[in-house]
Amino acid sequence: MSAIRVKNLRKKYGSFEALKSISFDVEQGEILGFLGPNGAGKTTTMKILTCFMGATSGEAVVAGYDCVTQPLEVRRRIGYLPENNPLYTDMIVYEYLLYAARLHQVPSALVSERIRRVVEDCGLTEQVGLPISSLSKGYRQRVGLAASMIHDPEILILDEPTVGLDPNQIIEIRTLIKKFGKEKTIILCSHRLPEVELTCNRVIIIDLGKIVASGTPASLRYLVEDHASIRLTIRGNPEKAMEVLHTIPGVKKVEMHPVHEKGARGYDLHIGRRGDLRPLIAKAIVSSELELLDLRKQTVTLEDVFSQVTQRVAA
Amino acid sequence: MRFRSIHTIAAKEFQGYLNSPLGTLFMMAFLLIASFLFFRDFFLVGESTLRPFFEVLPWLYLFLLPAITMRLWSEERKLGTMELLLTAPVTPAEAVLGKFLAGFGLLALTLLLSGILPLILFWIGQPDPGLIVGGYLGALMLGASYLALGLYVSTLTDNQIIAFILSVLWIALFLAIGQDVFLKTLPEPLVPVLRVLSLEFHFEGLGRGVLDTRDLVYYGSFLFLFLYLTITSVSKRKWK
């Protein structure tokens, strides 16, 4: 059984359609990256899954319970870290965790054990007696994360958990998420690609209320066919160089750009995904008496995929 | 409806009042003004009664009670913690009742502390116990009505100051419709209707120690109506 099943979900705010019939499944134990530019519909989807908001139409089933008819059952089984990590800043960390535990109906006998556990897991041992208002952003984020896991939920929904953190804090939070992902199903919303690439087993890219791509981070790279995959620097007549490059089979497009070396130009080759053309390219250039200064293979990043699929929808 | 959820929320909010200057200031202001009113007439008239205190109560409440309800929902909206609260396994009704009970608890505690005044009366004179009990019962019910209204208004905005001012205005309206100054300007047939709807009208009897079921029904309905409106407003969650 999938942990989360979403079918033909639509959401309208007045005349604006925030979600245009999206469907996806999340398997148990999966870390799903939910990726999209700002305003794509990520947060709307999360608010529907956590039963904070109703959908206009469609179905959302979380942990086997329907979000519309059994919202309390759903909420019992999810941990949610909303966007911007809202916290009661006037409370002490311990007080807040105690409140969260009681609110999530953790049995009284287990409360202190659960608090001890999340405090340890999230590295808050030293901060547990401090007011939340005195904590840095990174520690506040940990408090939010700790509170979202206080009832040991089956599913964790984290909306932009690393926004506004410095690189070290991001690495720490990411490590935490990976650690929890070993036991739980996680949906991680983000517009930061490296984060999703490093933590998730599967990625869904959403834009303008639609799913535009989905798959493992590796498989998504193949979505981008026309990427600039080889970068060259050649010294010699540019026209001749262009001519030679165009004759190589497999090269789809060549772009020229200026470089800092005297008498040389840079060339970006767009090639299909089959085979390695580098030896062929090198031979062709050298045999036509041009000087090959540099040849580099570009790896496609998820960023390329992202900008390409989201642009397609925009256009 | 789970009692434990209501208790959790009520305890958290009540603790919040006691930990912040707000709760302490509220209690101090209330007790100071109440004692002042009490002792002023006490030495002047020499009567063993709390009537002057109960007579001013609707107006004293007007500015003090909205101060304790203003943050209950608007702060949740401002901080965004509303989303945490309502994605926990808690129904809107449980959350609303929990918050209402926290405010009511603070009011009850304050009234309990003001019990020192009737104690003084008993010590030096022979006041009518029925009058005092009736007055306190009325004070609780009147206060509960103000709190329910303030709680509802607090769901309408994420700005505490606006919530405060709006609550004061609403309550002032419910008080004004019982005032002769206001009623004289209105057409005759409206007068008795408005008077019956006013918050102060029903308090007069209780302040004199007269328990009338109509007054109890009035405050009961007022309370129920505004708690119901609050629950509806929280359930809708049109904001954000």
Side-chain angles (χ1 to χ4, degrees):
Chain A
M1 188 189 70
S2 3
I4 296 174
R5 203 177 71 233
V6 171
K7 228 174 149 188
N8 303 328
L9 207 61
R10 284 170 185 276
K11 176 74 189 176
K12 275 188 178 176
Y13 296 106
S15 63
F16 173 69
E17 207 171 12
L19 290 180
K20 297 166 187 160
S21 190
I22 67 166
S23 305
F24 64 91
D25 279 324
V26 187
E27 296 304 319
Q28 235 143 21
E30 208 172 17
I31 307 185
L32 176 79
F34 212 68
L35 210 65
N38 293 323
K42 292 179 302 220
T43 298
T44 300
T45 312
M46 297 310 117
K47 283 185 176 173
I48 293 170
L49 289 180
T50 53
C51 318
F52 183 68
M53 217 165 56
T56 308
S57 68
E59 192 190 29
V61 178
V62 176
Y65 294 93
D66 188 274
C67 284
V68 179
T69 56
Q70 297 157 301
L72 290 185
E73 294 300 323
V74 170
R75 289 182 196 156
R76 236 165 243 151
R77 287 163 181 82
I78 50 166
Y80 180 35
L81 181 67
E83 206 178 2
N84 305 326
N85 183 32
L87 291 169
Y88 299 102
T89 42
D90 53 353
M91 287 177 105
I92 308 271
V93 174
Y94 179 81
E95 260 176 17
Y96 176 61
L97 293 176
L98 185 65
Y99 171 66
R102 290 189 175 146
L103 209 55
H104 283 93
Q105 302 167 3
V106 175
S108 307
L110 296 179
V111 168
S112 45
E113 167 58 23
R114 283 302 307 160
I115 294 181
R116 202 184 55 77
R117 179 75 193 276
V118 294
V119 161
E120 226 165 72
D121 281 350
C122 298
L124 285 166
T125 322
E126 316 245 301
Q127 283 71 28
V128 84
L130 299 175
I132 294 175
S133 56
S134 74
L135 298 181
S136 68
K137 203 158 184 184
Y139 276 111
R140 285 187 195 198
Q141 207 72 24
R142 292 179 190 211
V143 173
L145 206 57
S148 71
M149 298 185 310
I150 194 84
H151 53 302
D152 199 16
E154 293 167 33
I155 298 164
L156 265 181
I157 296 180
L158 310 173
D159 198 348
E160 305 273 8
T162 60
V163 161
L165 300 186
D166 68 40
N168 286 332
Q169 293 168 330
I170 291 177
I171 292 171
E172 282 169 15
I173 297 284
R174 198 184 285 151
T175 319
L176 276 178
I177 293 171
K178 269 194 148 166
K179 191 166 131 196
F180 302 129
K182 286 182 185 140
E183 301 159 27
K184 304 191 185 311
T185 309
I186 298 183
I187 295 192
L188 179 71
C189 269
S190 182
H191 63 265
R192 308 169 72 105
L193 299 140
E195 181 166 295
V196 165
E197 198 162 13
L198 286 166
T199 38
C200 300
N201 331 106
R202 197 155 65 89
V203 181
I204 286 178
I205 303 180
I206 167 172
D207 192 26
L208 299 172
K210 275 186 187 159
I211 292 177
V212 289
S214 118
T216 62
S219 77
L220 280 183
R221 292 211 180 103
Y222 283 103
L223 274 177
V224 182
E225 289 172 53
D226 305 321
H227 55 265
S229 51
I230 292 181
R231 212 152 225 220
L232 300 164
T233 314
I234 302 170
R235 185 180 284 149
N237 183 355
E239 275 151 41
K240 189 172 177 195
M242 285 297 263
E243 205 187 299
V244 172
L245 291 174
H246 273 295
T247 56
I248 300 167
V251 173
K252 289 186 173 169
K253 202 171 131 199
V254 184
E255 276 167 15
M256 191 164 52
H257 56 85
V259 290
H260 286 300
E261 276 164 290
K262 212 180 168 195
R265 293 286 167 95
Y267 301 85
D268 280 348
L269 264 54
H270 295 236
I271 57 176
R273 41 181 127 125
R274 271 152 297 148
D276 190 352
L277 291 183
R278 281 175 300 178
L280 218 65
I281 295 166
K283 252 182 235 158
I285 293 164
V286 174
S287 63
S288 49
E289 289 170 12
L290 293 160
E291 290 174 52
L292 178 62
L293 302 182
D294 198 18
L295 186 154
R296 213 154 14 106
K297 190 177 174 192
Q298 303 275 98
T299 43
V300 187
T301 62
L302 216 47
E303 238 128 310
D304 300 320
V305 181
F306 185 71
S307 71
Q308 250 202 24
V309 291
T310 53
Q311 263 168 20
R312 266 182 224 164
V313 173
Chain B
M1 189 85 74
R2 286 174 44 102
F3 181 72
R4 202 180 162 214
S5 305
I6 300 176
H7 177 256
T8 300
I9 293 167
K12 182 228 161 214
E13 298 293 347
F14 189 71
Q15 197 64 45
Y17 283 132
L18 297 188
N19 289 346
S20 76
L22 182 73
T24 326
L25 274 175
F26 165 78
M27 290 202 282
M28 272 171 50
F30 185 90
L31 293 173
L32 274 175
I33 299 172
S35 314
F36 168 74
L37 291 170
F38 172 75
F39 285 111
R40 190 191 57 179
D41 289 26
F42 181 69
F43 291 117
L44 223 67
V45 188
E47 247 185 292
S48 303
T49 171
L50 278 176
R51 264 184 73 185
F53 166 54
F54 287 131
E55 265 164 20
V56 192
L57 205 59
W59 302 94
L60 180 58
Y61 273 175
L62 172 62
F63 291 100
L64 287 179
L65 292 185
I68 68 175
T69 49
M70 64 181 185
R71 56 176 273 272
L72 286 174
W73 286 106
S74 53
E75 195 184 33
E76 300 263 7
R77 287 184 62 178
K78 182 141 214 156
L79 292 175
T81 45
M82 184 97 179
E83 210 169 334
L84 284 176
L85 179 60
L86 296 178
T87 54
V90 172
T91 63
E94 288 164 355
V96 168
L97 283 180
K99 281 171 182 281
F100 171 76
L101 286 178
F104 189 69
L106 186 69
L107 174 67
L109 178 67
T110 314
L111 286 174
L112 190 72
L113 291 174
S114 80
I116 190 86
L117 301 176
L119 279 183
I120 293 173
L121 284 183
F122 277 108
W123 180 47
I124 49 162
Q126 277 161 337
D128 182 349
L131 232 125
I132 291 173
V133 172
Y136 267 101
L137 193 67
L140 275 177
M141 288 193 295
L142 183 74
S145 309
Y146 280 33
L147 290 173
L149 192 153
L151 194 64
Y152 169 63
V153 172
S154 173
T155 64
L156 303 177
T157 167
D158 59 9
N159 185 321
Q160 294 190 31
I161 306 299
I162 291 178
F164 175 80
I165 295 171
L166 277 180
S167 307
V168 171
L169 288 176
W170 274 60
I171 295 167
L173 183 74
F174 274 102
L175 288 176
I177 54 175
Q179 300 293 306
D180 289 334
V181 196
F182 176 71
L183 289 173
K184 269 183 195 139
T185 62
L186 294 170
E188 197 74 26
L190 273 177
V191 173
V193 182
L194 286 178
R195 200 191 289 277
V196 167
L197 284 178
S198 99
L199 278 166
E200 203 184 9
F201 174 76
H202 294 275
F203 186 63
E204 278 160 15
L206 288 162
R208 277 186 274 115
V210 186
L211 269 185
D212 189 326
T213 32
R214 277 172 298 179
D215 297 337
L216 301 184
V217 168
Y218 170 80
Y219 284 123
S221 323
F222 195 95
L223 183 67
F224 181 82
L225 172 72
F226 278 99
L227 286 181
Y228 176 78
L229 285 176
T230 313
I231 295 169
T232 318
S233 171
V234 170
S235 311
K236 267 205 248 153
R237 281 172 230 154
K238 279 222 168 123
W239 42 73
K240 262 184 110 179

